[in-house]
């Protein structure tokens, strides 16, 4: 298996190596900025494979550009106007077909849905045309094999775009006349399938034809007969076949094409809005409030000056550490996005790269603050630091691991989440407020002076606090309002019923786990596996022509 993978890498790297040599010969120096066009449906595994191919070919670390995003960028550069918030469809018909719905945001174009079919492109047309020319009989080889026959048929198909009929030489047989009717028959199933893909992709993006600013056909097979007509019949919108459709994605990735139509429009990285500061302030102040209450309400006992011990609410102490880490992580993502937006050299490192550094720095700072809480508390009470470090750091382990994984994903630049990284990783403030206020009420009920006339109210405050902690856990676990309403009642009642000094530890750890699950869900659904329809697994050889606009 490993040998086969190495062989496939070497095979795929060979043409890239030749391209690199020719590029160096033309410019007279090594090429340092490498951009490779890939299908929008490629996931992390194939993108990593592509980077390995580039490395094997001796190229610099490449920037992978999704083909439909490159096409949209080329259209902007050549004067096509798309307002922010507009939706477009890019229909890439090469060896196979890939249809993608894009939305233009403040930070650039984002993929909303993509659907591909490797059997709906030029390769399928070539096979059907070959069968029609052979008339059901085999074609004798002359030493060149199927490759030569494929080239002959492909040339005939391209010639039929401008001529009514052409003569096709067949090995071992007299030439056969191919006409436009024969091409129409061969291309019919492919054209209809492409139109179906357009409709299915729009449905996946939950859009209608009226929502679109346009449909654009690119790729080496974009000029298939009746393609525009069939797509228009399916959607009600006449698609536009872009000039030089087989090269438009490459030109878009290279920022070419703007020379003939004025300067290209530059889409900057979005500056995080001021309201993102709330995601930093809320957990930050909550952390300070909880650690202050934890220290000020702890009960110190000294039995006969021999046995000294402190009754501390470990749950409140742990939740203060969790909030400190959340505040640091929110600050890291916001500052990383802000630096990316204001950087004088944006090409040096992308927003994802800067955010990854911010996340790693934030993790380090958050763990340091949690450790500082432990050291200060142990010194304040004159107790060994070991238990304090355990309750401050161990509950943070899942969230720390996921934050580091997010930093790796951001650094690899697989895709930028909608709204930017600062919006993606801002923990829900409502959940933090509910959990923090709830834990504060629980601690108050456990340590307040229980005057006879206040006992009932103190107990009620504790139950309400437990209820709020349960609500905060639910708000971190689920997002849809209906699910929150359904789950808040049982979880809140259970957490309110178990309020005690020991149970507060369980509530705090449950909240830490809930936040980790929230973080994992956001990472998975927004970055690694966004809610788009992707094709079934295809081999790299099948998708390369579509990515590069092949015929």
């Amino acid at each position: 298996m490993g040998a086969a993978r190495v062989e496939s890498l070497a095979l795929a790297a060979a043409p890239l190596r030749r391209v690199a040599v020719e590029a160096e010969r033309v410019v007279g120096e090594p090429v340092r900025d490498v951009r490779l066009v890939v299908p929008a449906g490629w996931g992390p595994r194939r993108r990593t494979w592509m980077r390995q191919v580039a490395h094997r070919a001796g190229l610099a670390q490449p920037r992978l550009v999704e083909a439909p995003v490159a096409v949209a960028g080329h259209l902007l550069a050549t004067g096509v106007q798309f307002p922010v918030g507009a939706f477009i469809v890019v229909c890439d018909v090469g060896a196979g077909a890939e249809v993608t719905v894009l939305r233009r945001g403040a930070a650039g174009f984002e993929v909303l849905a993509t659907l591909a079919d490797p059997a709906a492109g030029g390769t399928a047309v070539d096979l059907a045309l070959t069968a029609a020319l052979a008339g059901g009989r085999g074609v004798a080889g002359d030493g060149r094999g199927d490759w030569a026959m494929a080239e002959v048929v492909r040339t005939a198909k391209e010639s039929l775009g401008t001529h009514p009929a052409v003569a096709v030489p067949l090995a071992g047989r007299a030439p056969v006349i191919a006409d436009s009717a024969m091409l129409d028959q061969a291309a019919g199933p492919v054209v209809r399938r492409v139109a179906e893909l357009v409709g299915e992709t729009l449905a996946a993006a939950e859009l209608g034809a009226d929502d679109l600013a346009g449909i654009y056909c690119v790729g080496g097979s974009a000029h298939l007969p009746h393609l525009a007509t069939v797509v228009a019949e399916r959607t009600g919108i006449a698609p536009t076949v872009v000039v030089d459709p087989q090269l438009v994605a490459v030109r878009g990735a290279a920022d070419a094409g703007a020379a003939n139509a004025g300067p290209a429009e530059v889409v900057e990285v979005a500056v995080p809005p001021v309201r993102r500061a709330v995601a930093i302030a809320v957990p930050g102040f909550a952390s300070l409030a909880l650690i202050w209450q934890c220290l000020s309400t702890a009960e110190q006992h000294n039995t006969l000056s021999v046995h000294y011990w402190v009754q501390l609410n470990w749950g409140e102490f742990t939740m203060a550490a969790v909030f400190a880490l959340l505040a640091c992580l929110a600050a890291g993502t916001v500052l990383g996005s802000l630096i990316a937006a204001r950087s004088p050299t944006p090409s040096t490192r992308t927003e994802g790269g800067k955010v990854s550094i911010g996340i790693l720095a934030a993790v380090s700072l958050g763990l340091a603050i949690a450790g500082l809480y432990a050291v200060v508390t142990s010194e304040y009470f004159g107790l060994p630091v070991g238990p304090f470090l355990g309750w401050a750091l161990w509950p943070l382990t899942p969230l720390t691991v996921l934050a580091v994984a997010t930093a790796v994903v951001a650094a690899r630049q697989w895709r930028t989440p909608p709204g930017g990284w600062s919006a993606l990783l801002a923990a829900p403030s409502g959940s933090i407020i509910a959990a923090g206020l709830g834990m504060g009420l629980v601690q108050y009920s456990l340590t307040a002076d229980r005057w006879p006339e206040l006992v009932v109210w103190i107990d009620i405050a504790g139950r309400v606090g437990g209820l709020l902690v349960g609500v905060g856990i639910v708000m971190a676990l689920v997002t849809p309002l209906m699910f929150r309403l359904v789950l808040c009642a049982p979880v809140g009642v259970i957490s309110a019923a178990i309020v005690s000094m020991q149970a507060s530890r369980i509530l705090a750890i449950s909240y830490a786990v809930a936040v980790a699950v929230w973080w994992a869900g956001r990472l998975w659904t927004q970055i690694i596996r966004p809610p788009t329809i992707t094709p079934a697994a295809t081999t790299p050889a099948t998708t390369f022509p579509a990515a590069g606009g092949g015929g």
Side-chain angles (χ1 to χ4, degrees):
M1 188 71 178
R5 178 176 176 81
V6 172
E7 183 177 344
S8 67
L9 285 174
L11 183 63
L16 279 182
R17 189 177 297 111
R18 295 193 60 180
V19 171
V21 171
E22 182 64 19
E24 291 180 8
R25 185 189 66 81
V26 172
V27 301
E29 60 180 347
V31 178
R32 305 186 186 281
D33 185 7
V34 180
R35 306 174 192 181
L36 299 179
V37 179
V38 299
W42 273 21
R45 181 177 59 84
R46 293 193 213 175
R47 294 174 189 240
T48 299
W49 181 88
M50 197 68 223
R51 290 188 177 93
Q52 292 174 348
V53 170
H55 177 73
R56 177 65 65 90
L59 296 172
Q61 179 69 14
R63 186 198 313 177
L64 302 187
V65 183
E66 294 176 329
V69 175
V71 170
H74 173 78
L75 294 174
L76 278 179
T78 52
V80 181
Q81 298 297 318
F82 298 123
V84 173
F87 303 97
I88 66 170
V89 171
V90 174
C91 186
D92 191 340
V93 188
E98 181 182 68
V99 179
T100 305
V101 177
L102 300 170
R103 176 187 178 275
R104 189 188 180 194
F109 287 93
E110 58 181 296
V111 175
L112 298 185
T114 182
L115 185 63
D117 189 344
T123 300
V125 176
D126 293 345
L127 293 175
L129 189 58
T130 301
L133 292 173
R137 294 175 292 175
V139 180
D142 60 355
R144 295 179 298 171
D146 295 337
W147 177 84
M149 182 62 186
E151 287 299 313
V152 170
V153 172
R154 185 177 296 111
T155 302
K157 178 185 68 176
E158 295 173 354
S159 299
L160 288 175
T162 55
H163 299 82
V166 295
V168 182
L170 300 178
R173 294 176 51 188
V176 177
I177 300 299
D179 56 20
S180 56
M182 189 178 296
L183 178 59
D184 291 348
Q185 184 176 3
V190 170
V191 168
R192 290 190 292 272
R193 177 56 183 151
V194 171
E196 291 176 359
L197 286 177
V198 174
E200 293 169 4
T201 310
L202 283 174
E206 299 181 352
L207 296 175
D210 295 338
D211 299 316
L212 299 179
I215 300 176
Y216 297 89
C217 296
V218 300
S221 299
H223 286 295
L224 284 176
H226 309 301
L227 175 61
T229 301
V230 175
V231 172
E233 291 175 353
R234 178 62 183 258
T235 63
I237 299 177
T240 301
V241 178
V242 181
V243 178
D244 293 332
Q246 68 275 20
L247 300 177
V248 61
V250 176
R251 289 175 176 171
D255 297 328
N260 299 329
E265 181 176 347
V266 178
V267 180
E268 297 181 349
V269 176
V271 177
V274 176
R275 67 177 181 274
R276 294 284 181 259
V278 175
I280 305 172
V282 169
F285 284 118
S287 176
L288 293 175
L290 289 181
I291 196 64
W292 171 82
Q293 186 185 37
C294 181
L295 292 174
S296 62
T297 58
E299 298 179 0
Q300 304 181 54
H301 302 273
N302 191 355
T303 305
L304 300 177
S305 301
V306 175
H307 179 58
Y308 173 72
W309 57 284
V310 177
Q311 187 175 6
L312 186 75
N313 189 338
W314 292 109
E316 187 173 37
F317 180 77
T318 295
M319 192 165 286
V322 173
F323 287 162
L325 180 58
L326 289 178
C328 291
L329 288 171
T333 53
V334 169
L335 291 177
S337 298
L338 187 61
I339 292 172
R342 298 303 188 189
S343 174
T345 56
S347 61
T348 303
R349 188 177 294 275
T350 64
E351 180 187 12
K354 291 186 172 72
V355 167
S356 68
I357 297 175
I359 292 176
L360 293 177
V363 169
S364 302
L365 179 59
L367 294 178
I369 292 176
L372 181 63
Y373 283 173
V375 173
V376 170
T377 307
S378 68
E379 291 295 325
Y380 181 79
F381 294 116
L383 295 174
V385 73
F388 295 93
L389 287 175
W391 282 102
L393 298 180
W394 278 113
L396 303 183
T397 302
L399 185 56
T400 300
V401 172
L402 288 169
V404 173
T406 303
V408 173
V409 172
R412 299 304 294 270
Q413 307 166 25
W414 289 332
R415 53 172 55 86
T416 299
W421 288 96
S422 63
L424 176 74
L425 303 180
S429 298
S431 171
I432 296 173
I433 293 173
L437 180 60
M439 184 59 71
L441 289 175
V442 169
Q443 178 66 354
Y444 166 75
S445 70
L446 296 175
T447 59
D449 294 332
R450 304 181 71 83
W451 297 101
E453 65 274 13
L454 297 177
V455 169
V456 175
W457 296 108
I458 292 174
D459 288 341
I460 291 176
R463 303 303 175 184
V464 172
L467 177 67
L468 288 175
V469 174
V471 170
I473 292 173
V474 171
M475 292 179 68
L477 285 176
V478 296
T479 300
L481 178 60
M482 183 59 64
F483 289 161
R484 285 181 173 179
L485 294 177
V486 171
L487 292 177
C488 275
V491 175
V493 170
I494 293 173
S495 60
I498 65 173
V499 167
S500 66
M501 191 67 73
Q502 291 74 20
S504 64
R505 308 177 188 181
I506 300 175
L507 294 177
I509 294 176
S510 298
Y511 186 77
V513 172
V515 172
V517 172
W518 172 86
W519 193 286
R522 298 280 285 179
L523 176 62
W524 183 262
T525 59
Q526 299 293 321
I527 304 298
I528 300 179
R529 288 290 185 271
T532 59
I533 293 181
T534 54
T538 56
T539 61
T542 307
T543 51
F544 277 152

